[in-house]
Each structure stands twice: as C-alpha cells, then as structure tokens.
Amino acid sequence: MSAQLIDGNALSAHLRTDVAKRAAALKTRGTTPGLAVVLVGENPASQVYVRNKVKACEAGGLHSVLEHYPATLSEADLLARVDALNQDAGIHGILVQLPLPAHMDAQKVIEAIDPAKDVDGFHVASAGALMVGQPGFWPCTPYGCMKMLESIGYDLRGKHAVVIGRSNIVGKPMALMLLQLDATVTVCHSRTANLKALTLQADLIVAAVGKRNVLTADMVKPGAVVLDVGMNRNDEGKLCGDVDFAGVSEVASHITPVPGGVGPMTITMLLVNTLEAAERAAG
Ligand code: NAP
C-alpha cells in the first residue's frame, strides 16, 4: 500500500476534544448544548445509529434526549413533537432519524424543523444556504469529508473533483462544498456514461453510492485523493465501502478506510453542528 490513510477515528477524536472544550465553556455561561434525536419505528440499523449519536453527545459534554416512538405514530403526532422541540429552549439541535415509516412524508417532517435547529442540514433552508454560500448547517457526512481534506492540507483550488452519487444528503451537498472551495466538480450517477473516463481525470474522487467496488484501481489517476463514503457488507458480512480499498490504495496518494474513515466523522460533525447551534442561540 502506498497511499496515506486519512484516519477518521483519529481526526474525530481531535475534533471531539475541541467540541468538549467549547461545550464546557458554553456551560459556564449557562447554556448546555442539547440535541434531540427522534426515532420512529424499530429499524435495527437506525436504532444503532441513534444510540451511537446519543452516546457521542454524552461523551462530548452535550445534553441529549432520545425520543423513540412506535411505527404506528401518526404523522400529525410526529409533527406536534417536532414543534414542541422547536419551542424547547434546552434543545439546540433536532434530528429525525431517517427512514421514517412509509405513511409519513419525510420531507414534510424535515421542513417542520426550525432551520436554526436543523443540525442534520437536510431542511431546504439549509440546502439553499449552502447553494448560495450563506451561513447555515452543512449536512454532516459531506462536511466530515471536507474536514478530512482540510486535515491533510488539501488545496482544492483548480482541482478536478469527481463525486459519484447525487443524493440530497451526500452527493449534491458534497459537490457544492467542493465548488465553494474552487474545485471544478463533476457529479456522476447511475446514468453516467463511462464513469471510468471521468474518474481517471480526477484529482479527488468521492464515492457515495452504496455498492461495493464501484471504484477500482484502473479507474484512478496515480496520486489522486479518494474518499469512500459507502457503507456496504462484503461476502463475509464485514463492513466495507464503495472503493476496492486494496487495489486503489496502491494508486491513490490518500485514501479513507471503511470502517474508520468517513463514518466516525459524520457523528462528529453532528456534534459540531449542535454545538454551533447552541453557540448561536447563546449569542
Ligand atoms: P443513495 O441516496 O442511494 O444515492 C446513491 C447514489 O449513487 C445515487 O445518486 C445513484 O444514482 C448513484 N449510483 C448508483 N449506482 C451507481 C453506479 N453504478 N455508478 C454511479 N453512480 C451510481 O445513497 P446515499 O444516501 O447518498 O448514500 C450513499 C452511500 O453512502 C451508502 O452506502 C450509504 O450507506 C453511505 N452513507 C454513509 C454515511 C457515513 O456516515 N459513512 C452517511 C450517509 C451515507 P441515481 O441518482 O441515478 O440513482
């Protein structure tokens, strides 16, 4: 392996120390940053995610509340809960864990969150702020990717970045963040013709697809930086990304592992956003 690893666990630990310090400073001014995590239903993966988020909050000195409702909760009742959390001065960030049960309109629920508490960055107001370069909350996963690039001192100006995936929570906001820092950005998706011809031109590749081996060594320019957002299971049931790690790490200059790469950064940026929401509320 010749590529340098970008270690998401180490970077997260560093950033979480800073969060804990800032949270402690805010507490001395009478504000404890608070995150409400709302889970509806019994999706096992969601239950693990919310538990990890709540645990990370507690470790960082943030107050967190987990509200867990049965899958039979009505959309109106969920909207009423979101409204109550919007009014709650002790709560600075609200996260509604997705996916929601099929009888609920997830976008409607997200739009009910006060944009000042939208620490997931999924509200259209947050998306619009990112689009026009105004302050707002950036979605945690691409924000974590940006922090990883910052940690290796990567200057995006004039670089060609290829983002594979165009979801509202990863691919699109990732492309906008890279554009904001003066990269030239190509966004690819399932209908992209000849993905390899595009990735071979890239100085930076972000893979956010959800399929194993979407990016292999023959698709990567020597020295490129590769960030792997994907979370998949291999034949042995182990967590793996979208990138053929063994092959690509022979070609890339820097690469993120899965696990231990982008994953821990996502939760860390949730803490950062929650802290920022509390700091803004405290003035
Ligand atoms: P998503 O909504 O399913 O979007 C996947 C994107 O990949 C779509 O834009 C799709 O194109 C594109 N795509 C599918 N097959 C492709 C192919 N063969 N070539 C090129 N593009 C292709 O997924 P997501 O929510 O963005 O998540 C992507 C991955 O990241 C998943 O594995 C997810 O679990 C993971 N994830 C990880 C974290 C973390 O913290 N590490 C956080 C969020 C997500 P179309 O638009 O044309 O369908």
Side-chain angles (χ1 to χ4, degrees):
M1 164 165 175
S2 60
Q4 246 177 279
L5 268 194
I6 311 177
D7 182 341
N9 284 323
L11 180 57
S12 279
H14 172 74
L15 292 170
R16 287 184 197 194
T17 304
D18 183 54
V19 165
K21 270 192 214 151
R22 282 165 59 191
L26 203 55
K27 262 189 220 174
T28 64
R29 293 169 48 206
T31 300
T32 300
L35 173 72
V37 179
V38 181
L39 173 65
V40 185
E42 307 300 329
N43 181 317
S46 293
Q47 293 192 39
V48 173
Y49 295 149
V50 298
R51 229 179 293 133
N52 288 343
K53 287 166 185 173
V54 167
K55 250 198 272 171
C57 272
E58 279 156 13
L62 277 63
H63 166 63
S64 68
V65 183
L66 171 59
E67 297 196 1
H68 189 178
Y69 298 104
T72 50
L73 184 77
S74 71
E75 185 185 271
D77 284 347
L78 178 58
L79 290 170
R81 272 316 301 154
V82 169
D83 190 47
L85 292 168
N86 283 340
Q87 310 304 324
D88 186 338
I91 293 297
H92 305 95
I94 302 170
L95 180 156
V96 177
Q97 185 66 42
L98 302 178
L100 287 170
H103 66 277
M104 292 184 179
D105 177 346
Q107 199 54 43
K108 186 172 168 189
V109 174
I110 300 298
E111 298 315 322
I113 297 172
D114 179 347
K117 298 189 178 189
D118 176 38
V119 288
D120 246 346
F122 295 166
H123 195 290
V124 285
S126 304
L130 172 59
M131 173 84 172
V132 297
Q134 293 286 316
F137 292 111
W138 283 6
C140 301
T141 301
Y143 190 11
C145 289
M146 294 304 281
K147 284 285 172 194
M148 293 180 118
L149 294 173
E150 191 185 302
S151 77
I152 59 166
Y154 193 70
D155 183 359
L156 283 157
R157 269 176 304 177
K159 298 286 187 348
H160 182 197
V162 169
V163 178
I164 318 177
R166 58 173 165 180
S167 71
N168 289 338
I169 63 169
V170 190
K172 280 185 208 160
M174 183 81 252
L176 290 168
M177 289 172 200
L178 295 168
L179 194 59
Q180 216 173 83
L181 290 196
D182 295 335
T184 300
V185 184
T186 302
V187 183
C188 301
H189 46 80
S190 68
R191 302 299 173 95
T192 296
N194 204 350
L195 180 66
K196 180 177 170 180
L198 295 164
T199 57
L200 273 174
Q201 296 172 30
D203 303 303
L204 165 69
I205 303 171
V206 183
V209 173
K211 286 182 187 157
R212 286 160 57 190
N213 298 329
V214 154
L215 192 74
T216 48
D218 59 315
M219 299 168 74
V220 178
K221 182 169 81 173
V225 172
V226 175
L227 306 184
D228 191 351
V229 178
M231 285 202 306
N232 311 295
R233 297 273 164 197
N234 67 16
D235 293 337
E236 291 84 50
K238 281 196 191 151
L239 196 63
C240 67
D242 291 345
V243 175
D244 169 24
F245 183 83
V248 172
S249 54
E250 295 297 332
V251 185
S253 66
H254 294 79
I255 190 166
T256 61
V258 179
V262 176
M265 291 299 294
T266 296
I267 297 190
T268 298
M269 300 325 291
L270 174 69
L271 302 189
V272 169
N273 278 348
T274 303
L275 179 70
E276 275 174 18
E279 286 176 343
R280 286 178 205 173

